[in-house]
Amino acid sequence: MSASRKVTTSRAKRLASAAAALALSAVVGCSSSAADTTRVPRSTLVIGIDVSGSFESRGRYESSIDFTANYLYAHIHGLGGLKQPTAVFVGSFGGEKPGETKSFQPIHTFQKLSVAEIAAFLRKEYPSNDGLTDFNPFFERVATLVKRQNLVLSPLNIVMLTDGLPDTPSERNDSLSKYKKINVSGLEYLSKNTTIRILYPRPTVAVHWEKKVPRRRVRMWTVDDEVMATWRSHYRAGAPPERQTELWKWISDNVDFRVRSGGVL
């Protein structure tokens, strides 16, 4: 073989190798892009259930358990366009004595359960009792949990199913002082987007939470008991979760409403 043919062949091999490498990098790039588009953004959902005696009246506790089971299932599986959290914790507040600490169940507890199984688990794990409603230990526990699990800076959504009535005493001549003593300061700088959603309070209590609870960056959203009482009218009995589109739309519009920041000092 002549020297010129050897040079031509060698050059052709180099060009072929370069083309193959370029094609491989393109495939890898496309695969990475596809993986990025399917990756779920980090976010944390914390659910707190009021197990105090005052919340049990008028069937609110039972309604809240069934609602929570549907809410949890839909979010964990990303149904109806609802935001799929990467971390979930479920706990309770309201105990036999003030400051009583409760444990939180992680997302793994609920991932393989049906809606009915989640409801049964919640009723067993968090039964209603005649204890006191003390919100501050719950908020302190949430802050500690978020820090310990290295979830700081991820969007934090705290959903509380409660009548919203604190059992702390009011100051003399100030019946609303007990709302001013609710302390969410530990949640202020955990994330740029921290939202507390209070479900099932009376309308007047909802206003007290919105107007009287001191906060700077924490966002507040309330859905009163009269509105929450209507969620079952959007539920299709006997239909699987994948076909509960009307309920998921109601949740998106009324419960998961995106709240603008606007603290109360």
Side-chain angles (χ1 to χ4, degrees), residues 47-249:
I47 295 179
I49 300 172
D50 189 342
V51 297
S52 66
S54 63
F55 186 52
E56 189 177 16
S57 64
R58 296 189 294 166
R60 287 174 296 184
Y61 169 80
E62 290 297 328
S63 173
S64 72
I65 291 295
D66 291 335
F67 175 81
T68 300
N70 282 279
Y71 186 87
L72 256 179
Y73 187 95
H75 275 280
I76 289 175
H77 298 281
L79 300 180
L82 297 179
K83 189 172 183 178
Q84 192 172 10
T86 50
V88 172
F89 301 96
V90 180
S92 65
F93 45 89
E96 297 299 327
K97 55 185 179 180
E100 186 174 349
T101 301
K102 302 288 186 177
S103 63
F104 283 89
Q105 291 291 335
I107 189 172
H108 314 86
T109 302
F110 307 99
Q111 284 176 321
K112 295 183 179 180
L113 300 182
S114 66
V115 173
E117 289 171 337
I118 292 175
F121 177 88
L122 295 177
R123 285 187 171 89
K124 179 180 178 181
E125 189 72 14
Y126 308 114
S128 181
N129 57 49
D130 292 327
L132 302 173
T133 306
D134 192 356
F135 297 104
N136 289 343
F138 174 77
F139 291 132
E140 292 170 4
R141 182 63 175 159
V142 170
T144 299
L145 185 66
V146 169
K147 294 174 184 176
R148 189 182 67 189
Q149 297 290 331
N150 196 27
L151 299 171
V152 175
L153 301 183
S154 298
L156 175 60
N157 188 30
I158 303 172
V159 179
M160 301 171 63
L161 299 106
T162 175
D163 56 15
L165 294 170
D167 282 325
T168 53
S170 299
E171 295 179 2
R172 188 175 181 179
N173 299 325
D174 187 358
S175 61
L176 301 180
S177 62
K178 55 187 176 182
Y179 294 97
K180 300 174 185 176
K181 294 178 181 178
I182 294 174
N183 184 7
V184 301
S185 61
L187 306 173
E188 291 283 7
Y189 296 96
L190 293 180
S191 169
K192 291 182 179 179
N193 185 355
T194 298
T195 305
I196 298 176
R197 304 179 191 275
I198 311 296
L199 313 185
Y200 286 94
R202 295 197 311 270
T204 52
V205 174
V207 172
H208 296 334
W209 273 83
E210 294 169 0
K211 302 296 185 181
K212 300 300 179 181
V213 175
R215 62 190 189 280
R216 292 179 179 271
R217 297 165 49 129
V218 172
R219 306 176 186 190
M220 188 77 67
W221 182 250
T222 61
V223 186
D224 64 57
D225 56 353
E226 296 176 7
V227 176
M228 289 303 302
T230 69
W231 76 265
R232 290 190 189 276
S233 65
H234 303 277
Y235 176 78
R236 295 180 58 191
E242 292 74 19
R243 295 178 58 190
Q244 298 288 354
T245 53
E246 184 179 341
L247 178 58
W248 310 147
K249 178 68 165 53

